[in-house]
Amino acid sequence: MKKDYTVSTTAEKVHKKKIFSKVSKLSLLLLLLFASAIYIILYVVYNESSFVINVDRDMLKSSIFLTEDGNKNSKTRTLTADAAEYMDNISVKWISEDVDTEANGSHNGDNYFAYSFYLVHDGENPITYWYEISIDDIIKDLDKAIRVMIYHNGVKTIYAKENDETNKPEEGTKKFYSETVAVVEERKNFSPGDKDRFTVVVWIEGDDPDCNNELLGGGIKMHMDITEERNVRK
């Protein structure tokens, strides 16, 4: 004789299943909202941020100013460059050979940031000034593979964080000034009538030993300050 097997589903079990389903959906929704919030924050901070160049107020008093095109009519104390929204790793060899002279202002290329501008002396007395590029924030240690190339009146210098293993500069580079400052350089005898041209280029160097998958999703924020001798860091 065959036995009848029945499945008895109590009201309590059904209630527990409904609660579990609601809690699971709510948890998933909160997780998605949190992830979206993080994404939005990173997008606003890194993709919509800009590279800013400043001169101190004392330089303006001395009739020394910034200009994107070299024209006195467009003089300013602050310049803002368009940030590179996304960069994959490349080689310095892939950067345009005429990147210093091809344009004024923002002229970002494939996977690199590039900005050119002028510092103009329209005053009466020679000065010494310093230019400094500071690192404001880093995500996932991206500074390990970042390169900062500066053309100053046509003279090129590439800066990088020193190698973690050897504690020496990466090949062909000058090491970052510190953990939070990439570049500090002096310009002596900036005289009336002088017009200094700068081009700043930033990229992720694919040939750097520290350039690996651990840097995926990383980011970096930097800005540049130009100050007279008496205001420079000691």
Side-chain angles (χ1 to χ4, degrees):
M1 180 177 179
K2 294 183 179 180
K3 294 182 178 180
D4 292 331
Y5 290 92
T6 60
V7 179
S8 176
T9 304
T10 64
E12 183 179 357
K13 289 182 178 180
V14 172
H15 181 64
K16 286 182 178 180
K17 286 183 178 180
K18 287 182 177 180
I19 292 177
F20 178 77
S21 177
K22 288 180 179 179
V23 170
S24 298
K25 290 179 180 178
L26 180 60
S27 298
L28 180 60
L29 178 60
L30 290 173
L31 183 62
L32 289 172
L33 287 173
F34 177 75
S36 297
I38 293 296
Y39 172 78
I40 290 170
I41 290 171
L42 293 180
Y43 179 81
V44 170
V45 172
Y46 290 92
N47 284 2
E48 289 191 352
S49 64
S50 303
F51 184 83
V52 178
I53 303 104
N54 301 297
V55 295
D56 66 62
R57 295 184 184 278
D58 289 333
M59 295 185 79
L60 282 184
K61 293 176 183 177
S62 301
S63 295
I64 298 165
F65 55 86
L66 295 167
T67 170
E68 196 171 84
D69 56 10
N71 193 322
K72 295 180 183 180
N73 294 329
S74 59
K75 63 183 180 181
T76 182
R77 179 175 174 256
T78 301
L79 289 171
T80 303
D82 296 334
E85 292 188 0
Y86 173 82
M87 289 194 295
D88 199 353
N89 66 87
I90 61 172
S91 168
V92 63
K93 299 173 184 177
W94 300 1
I95 296 173
S96 173
E97 292 184 359
D98 62 349
V99 66
D100 177 39
T101 57
E102 65 183 3
N104 294 325
S106 294
H107 48 105
N108 300 338
D110 291 337
N111 297 306
Y112 66 85
F113 162 90
Y115 186 76
S116 298
F117 64 95
Y118 296 87
L119 184 69
V120 179
H121 193 329
D122 197 32
E124 298 178 354
N125 301 307
I127 69 161
T128 293
Y129 73 79
W130 295 72
Y131 55 94
E132 173 180 319
I133 294 183
S134 299
I135 300 170
D136 301 314
D137 198 9
I138 305 164
I139 295 177
K140 291 192 173 182
D141 295 326
L142 190 64
D143 59 328
K144 290 182 176 181
I146 281 289
R147 295 290 187 272
V148 178
M149 180 163 63
I150 295 183
Y151 288 85
H152 184 203
N153 294 329
V155 178
K156 178 178 71 176
T157 307
I158 301 176
Y159 304 83
K161 193 172 184 179
E162 64 184 11
N163 187 283
D164 281 345
E165 295 183 3
T166 65
N167 293 322
K168 294 181 179 180
E170 298 288 358
E171 184 178 356
T173 72
K174 184 174 181 178
K175 72 175 184 178
F176 283 176
Y177 182 80
S178 70
E179 288 291 321
T180 57
V181 180
V183 178
V184 175
E185 297 289 358
E186 181 185 30
R187 162 58 154 113
K188 295 181 178 179
N189 300 319
F190 187 50
S191 301
D194 285 350
K195 184 186 296 184
D196 282 7
R197 179 179 172 85
F198 288 88
T199 295
V200 180
V201 185
V202 181
W203 74 97
I204 304 169
E205 179 52 62
D207 292 332
D208 191 307
D210 292 315
C211 186
N212 52 50
N213 288 339
E214 293 179 2
L215 303 184
L216 288 173
I220 191 166
K221 286 180 66 180
M222 296 183 290
H223 76 275
M224 183 172 183
D225 290 313
I226 302 174
T227 59
E228 282 194 59
E229 175 72 57
R230 61 181 175 275
N231 293 323
V232 73
R233 65 172 64 239
K234 301 297 183 185

